[in-house]
């Protein structure tokens, strides 16, 4: 059996709150990559943004992480990583990818070294240093004969997103050009778009993106299910039902903790998003 | 909470539910919110009535499975329930008959309730009079209205030749009422405008706009299952697990009833009176 490249999907976002659509993105991406025959998705990671992202209506990371955890209770391969949300400052997406990837790589190396003492490896990190990685990584590695270890078996970390995320590459000052390049070159993008919208044109119109289009996976979502978190919050504030759009456990949590109110919607009002603030500062220097 | 000024409404959804999806369940939630916001109605119950196997729709799997999945899906709902009366009938039943059945059921339940209220406490030797109970005023409960809940596709199917009897459509919108959930920009209003019957009773046709673009059709779910694709978060988790456990929805099951005529078409084609599309 020809070996597939293991892949870990990482989704960054507000998750304010986590909706059924967020979780669908993972399922669609996994199906798509599996059907290429070349990849095996071993893990999905949801990484909620930190509070100082400054987005309007963003509630405390504590709540967003808790809700994401509840939402993912029934999933056996997707988990929440609170690392990004716990940072004091906002973290560029590319940095999150780098940190995660570093952890994956070092964990993999540590495991291989531990199981084949004869191989020469620099043991940089022990398993204890990277406790967040799941047993799924271990399982995959156990299928690999130790003597055949090569970089092809190291899990690839790919950024999972919706088509609207891709479009934000165009927003002035929101992204640094070199960051976008690193994301598409070193990592890769899995972009879910809805039937009727076609991001391939957007990619063609960008020199940078078209250069790395082999590393940009476009997945068509044929079963439309556009659940905007903004609309969810607005419905909650108006006392309308959001059942079957977000998990019951998340609905219960929101009610119990009174997470979304007219007041919470006004938080960060009038403020610039952190990445825009940073760019402005850089320009003014 | 008691609200005597509001008319009580029961929502009835008929359909294949093959399988039930989050979209079906959303119809109920949207309709309930809509009626609540009017200030005039109060939705007290939702009923899911899966069609019987005799409907002969292509790809329709056994009613047993469909009813079970619907029950799993509504386990966490405190107001929507599944009724399997229709699915147990050996012959296909017109939607109107199902409406009438549930209406009758509510009537009987209402009658027995009001009888209970009316029984006075009498002492021995006293002439029995039909007197209101002195401690509580009688509430003359009006029977809840049963309204047919559907998507725009069902409403527009009124125009399919031989699918519906004109007199059935008339009775549905005249005596009961329709709640139709549709997407913004849909042709539903135009369809109603172009039909004399529907236009005449448009006050009894409630149009509710769906604010989420939700296109989770059962057909797409079956297709995804056939192709080994995930349907998580599109159907309730218990339903997804059930489908997997029982290996439902394969290429074979999709061929069920292939080439057969849908029961209503079969029935009305034989009817000498025939039927007319409502716009005529």
């Amino acid at each position: 059996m020809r070996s597939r490249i293991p892949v870990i999907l990482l989704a960054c976002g507000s998750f304010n709150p986590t909706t059924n659509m967020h979780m669908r993105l993972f399922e669609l991406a996994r199906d798509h990559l599996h059907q290429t025959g070349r990849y095996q998705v071993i893990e999905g990671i949801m990484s909620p943004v930190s509070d100082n992202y400054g987005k309007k209506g963003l509630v405390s990371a504590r709540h967003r992480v808790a809700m994401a955890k509840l939402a993912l209770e029934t999933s056996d391969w997707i988990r929440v990583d609170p690392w990004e949300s716990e940072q004091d400052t906002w973290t560029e997406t590319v940095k999150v990818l780098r940190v995660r990837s570093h952890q994956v790589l070092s964990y993999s190396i540590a495991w291989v070294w531990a199981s084949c003492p004869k191989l020469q490896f620099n043991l940089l990190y022990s398993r204890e240093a990277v406790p967040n990685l799941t047993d799924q990584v271990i399982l995959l590695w156990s299928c690999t004969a130790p003597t055949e270890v090569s970089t092809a078996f190291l899990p690839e970390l790919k950024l999972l997103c919706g088509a609207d995320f891709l479009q934000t590459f165009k927003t002035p000052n929101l992204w640094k050009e070199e960051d976008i390049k690193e994301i598409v070159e070193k990592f890769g993008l899995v972009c879910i778009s809805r039937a009727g919208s076609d991001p391939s044109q957007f990619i063609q119109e960008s020199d940078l993106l078209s250069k790395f289009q082999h590393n940009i996976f476009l997945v068509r979502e044929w079963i439309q299910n556009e659940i905007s978190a903004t609309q969810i919050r607005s419905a909650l504030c108006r006392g309308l039902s959001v059942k079957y759009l977000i998990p019951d456990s998340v609905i219960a949590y929101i009610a119990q903790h009174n997470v979304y109110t007219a007041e919470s919607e006004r938080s960060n009002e009038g403020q610039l998003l952190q990445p825009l603030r940073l760019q402005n500062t850089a320009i003014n220097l | 909470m008691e609200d005597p000024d509001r008319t009580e409404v029961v929502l009835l959804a008929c359909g294949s539910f093959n399988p039930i999806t989050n979209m079906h369940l959303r119809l109920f939630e949207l309709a309930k919110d809509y009626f609540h916001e009017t200030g005039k109605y109060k939705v007290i119950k939702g009923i899911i009535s899966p069609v019987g196997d005799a409907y002969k729709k292509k790809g329709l799997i056994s009613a047993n499975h469909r009813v079970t999945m619907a029950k799993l899906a509504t386990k966490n709902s405190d107001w929507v329930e599944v009724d399997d009366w229709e699915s147990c009938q050996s012959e296909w039943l017109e939607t109107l008959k199902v409406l009438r059945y549930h209406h009758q059921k509510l009537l009987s339940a209402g009658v027995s309730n009001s009888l209970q209220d009316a029984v006075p406490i009498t002492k021995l030797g006293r002439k029995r009079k039909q007197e209101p109970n002195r401690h509580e005023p009688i509430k003359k409960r009006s029977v809840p209205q049963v309204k047919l809940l559907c998507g725009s596709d069902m409403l527009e199917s009124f125009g399919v030749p031989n699918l519906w009897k004109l007199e059935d459509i008339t009775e549905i919108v005249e005596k009961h009422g329709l709640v139709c959930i549709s997407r913004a920009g849909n042709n539903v209003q135009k369809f109603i405008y172009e039909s004399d019957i529907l236009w005449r009773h448009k006050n009894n046709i409630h149009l509710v706009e769906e604010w989420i673009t939700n296109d989770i059709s059962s057909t797409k779910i079956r297709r995804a299952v056939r192709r080994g694709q995930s349907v998580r978060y599109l159907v309730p988790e218990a339903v997804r697990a059930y489908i997997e456990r029982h290996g439902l929805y394969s290429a074979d099951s999709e061929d069920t009833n292939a080439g057969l005529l849908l029961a209503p078409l079969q029935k009305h084609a034989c009817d000498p009176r025939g039927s007319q599309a409502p716009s005529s």
Side-chain angles (χ1 to χ4, degrees):
Chain A
M1 189 183 81
R2 203 185 51 185
S3 300
R4 290 174 176 233
I5 301 169
V7 168
I8 298 174
L9 296 169
L10 173 75
C12 297
S14 310
F15 299 106
N16 186 34
T18 302
T19 70
N20 284 350
M21 193 187 76
H22 289 133
M23 299 185 290
R24 271 305 287 164
L25 297 184
F26 283 93
E27 299 288 315
L28 286 160
R30 182 166 77 154
D31 280 347
H32 179 90
L33 289 173
H34 282 182
Q35 279 165 357
T36 62
R38 300 196 310 265
Y39 301 97
Q40 176 74 34
V41 176
I42 60 171
E43 193 178 26
I45 304 173
M46 219 180 245
S47 177
V49 79
S50 74
D51 289 336
N52 25 45
Y53 184 49
K55 193 169 181 182
K56 183 171 173 295
L58 197 69
V59 303
S60 133
R62 178 175 67 91
H63 284 315
R64 291 182 288 115
V65 168
M67 290 188 286
K69 281 192 174 144
L70 286 169
L72 293 172
E73 253 169 3
T74 56
S75 177
D76 59 358
W77 68 284
I78 313 169
R79 64 178 181 87
V80 185
D81 188 349
W83 177 85
E84 185 187 350
S85 67
E86 288 163 357
Q87 302 310 300
D88 289 330
T89 57
W90 169 74
T91 316
E92 281 99 329
T93 302
V94 74
K95 280 205 184 106
V96 180
L97 281 166
R98 279 185 209 142
V99 167
R100 272 287 139 264
S101 169
H102 201 50
Q103 284 194 351
V104 168
L105 177 65
S106 50
Y107 177 75
S108 307
I109 290 175
W111 189 92
V112 171
W113 184 91
S115 66
C116 348
K118 287 183 193 163
L119 289 172
Q120 300 283 320
F121 264 111
N122 288 325
L123 180 57
L124 301 169
Y125 299 95
S126 67
R127 188 187 170 164
E128 282 67 46
V130 285
N132 287 335
L133 291 170
T134 66
D135 293 333
Q136 299 243 348
V137 181
I138 303 170
L139 272 170
L140 186 81
W141 276 91
S142 65
C143 303
T144 313
T147 51
E148 288 165 16
V149 169
S150 66
T151 49
F153 288 90
L154 290 170
E156 290 184 11
L157 188 63
K158 299 201 182 300
L159 187 64
L160 169 65
C161 64
D164 52 341
F165 182 95
L166 196 69
Q167 301 278 353
T168 68
F169 285 172
K170 268 197 300 207
T171 307
N173 296 332
L174 192 58
W175 293 88
K176 283 191 258 186
E177 182 92 352
E178 61 258 34
D179 284 3
I180 300 177
K181 180 166 187 282
E182 190 176 335
I183 290 174
V184 294
E185 187 179 18
K186 290 233 178 78
F187 299 103
L189 218 58
V190 184
C191 177
I192 318 291
S193 65
R194 43 185 193 275
S197 109
D198 192 4
S200 55
Q201 190 184 354
F202 176 71
I203 292 171
Q204 291 311 315
E205 285 170 2
S206 154
D207 287 342
L208 180 57
L209 296 181
S210 45
K211 183 168 175 205
F212 296 106
Q213 58 186 295
H214 57 276
N215 216 7
I216 300 176
F217 299 87
L218 295 180
V219 184
R220 261 318 235 286
E221 145 91 281
W222 293 101
I223 306 179
Q224 274 188 290
N225 188 27
E226 279 147 60
I227 305 174
S228 118
T230 308
Q231 284 177 311
I232 295 287
R233 295 196 305 274
S234 153
L236 285 165
C237 288
R238 284 188 269 163
L240 300 176
S241 165
V242 294
K243 203 167 159 76
Y244 313 115
L245 300 175
I246 70 180
D248 285 347
S249 53
V250 178
I251 296 177
Y253 182 95
I254 292 170
Q256 197 186 347
H257 297 264
N258 202 28
V259 179
Y260 294 111
T261 59
E263 198 187 314
S264 71
E265 269 308 287
R266 282 195 297 269
S267 74
N268 298 323
E269 203 163 35
Q271 271 189 32
L272 264 183
L273 283 181
Q274 184 63 358
L276 294 172
R277 252 186 277 161
L278 284 178
Q279 290 278 34
N280 284 351
T281 320
I283 290 165
N284 290 334
L285 278 173
Chain B
M1 197 166 75
E2 277 301 314
D3 209 337
D5 295 331
R6 287 182 184 244
T7 306
E8 289 184 334
V9 167
V10 169
L11 299 170
L12 171 71
C14 297
S16 309
F17 300 104
N18 186 33
I20 192 165
T21 71
N22 282 350
M23 189 182 76
H24 291 130
L25 298 160
R26 274 305 290 162
L27 299 184
F28 284 93
E29 300 291 310
L30 286 161
K32 188 176 184 206
D33 281 345
Y34 162 86
F35 277 116
H36 185 83
E37 305 247 296
T38 61
K40 295 194 297 228
Y41 299 94
K42 184 178 165 214
V43 176
I44 59 168
K45 189 153 72 156
I47 302 173
I48 292 175
S49 178
V51 81
D53 291 334
Y55 188 47
K56 297 283 182 224
K57 191 171 180 181
K58 184 167 174 293
L60 194 70
I61 65 170
S62 128
N64 275 338
H65 284 312
R66 292 182 289 115
V67 166
T68 306
M69 287 189 286
K71 285 184 173 160
L72 286 169
T74 49
K75 218 167 39 163
N76 293 333
S77 177
D78 58 2
W79 68 284
V80 182
E81 60 188 49
V82 180
D83 187 293
D84 62 4
W85 176 82
E86 184 187 353
S87 65
C88 290
Q89 306 306 306
S90 54
E91 280 190 19
W92 171 73
L93 284 183
E94 283 91 338
T95 302
L96 176 62
K97 293 208 172 93
V98 185
L99 260 171
R100 282 183 192 152
Y101 166 78
H102 286 283
H103 180 72
Q104 192 53 47
K105 231 175 134 182
L106 285 168
L107 260 175
S108 327
V111 163
S112 59
N113 281 345
S114 58
L115 269 178
Q116 274 179 355
D117 286 347
V119 166
I121 301 160
T122 55
K123 287 184 183 164
L124 280 167
R126 256 226 177 129
K127 202 166 149 191
R128 191 172 280 203
K129 270 191 232 170
Q130 271 225 333
E131 237 178 60
N133 184 317
R134 286 209 193 116
H135 299 288
E136 271 170 30
I138 269 200
K139 264 170 265 156
K140 192 184 174 189
R141 287 187 206 164
S142 51
V143 181
Q145 295 181 4
V146 184
K147 297 197 182 299
L148 189 62
L149 172 65
C150 65
S152 54
D153 53 339
M154 181 186 267
L155 188 69
E156 288 178 20
S157 79
F158 285 173
V160 173
N162 288 336
L163 194 57
W164 295 84
K165 282 191 274 191
L166 195 57
E167 59 257 36
D168 281 13
I169 297 173
T170 310
E171 191 176 325
I172 290 173
V173 293
E174 190 176 20
K175 294 237 174 76
H176 303 280
L178 211 61
V179 190
C180 177
I181 318 289
S182 63
R183 230 163 289 163
N186 194 277
N187 284 332
V188 170
Q189 284 179 319
K190 180 162 172 270
F191 187 81
I192 293 173
Y193 163 75
E194 287 173 353
S195 153
D196 287 343
I197 299 278
L198 298 182
W199 181 259
R200 195 178 313 140
H201 301 286
K202 65 183 188 314
N203 291 333
N204 216 5
I205 301 175
H206 303 266
L207 295 182
V208 183
E209 201 169 288
E210 190 196 63
W211 43 273
I212 294 283
T213 313
N214 192 329
D215 187 26
I216 308 174
S217 74
S218 299
T219 307
K220 290 186 175 175
I221 296 294
R222 295 197 306 274
R223 183 178 294 138
V225 171
R226 270 200 316 276
R227 295 178 184 178
Q229 292 167 341
S230 166
V231 294
R232 255 184 221 261
Y233 315 117
L234 299 176
V235 301
E237 178 56 23
V239 175
R240 186 207 61 82
Y242 184 91
I243 293 173
E244 191 177 281
R245 201 162 51 239
H246 295 263
L248 305 178
Y249 302 124
S250 56
D252 281 336
S253 70
E254 199 60 20
D255 272 337
T256 318
N257 298 323
L260 293 180
L261 205 57
L262 211 56
L265 297 174
Q266 174 91 323
K267 202 168 176 184
H268 300 153
C270 303
D271 190 332
R273 286 174 300 163
S275 69
Q276 294 163 304
S279 50
S280 43

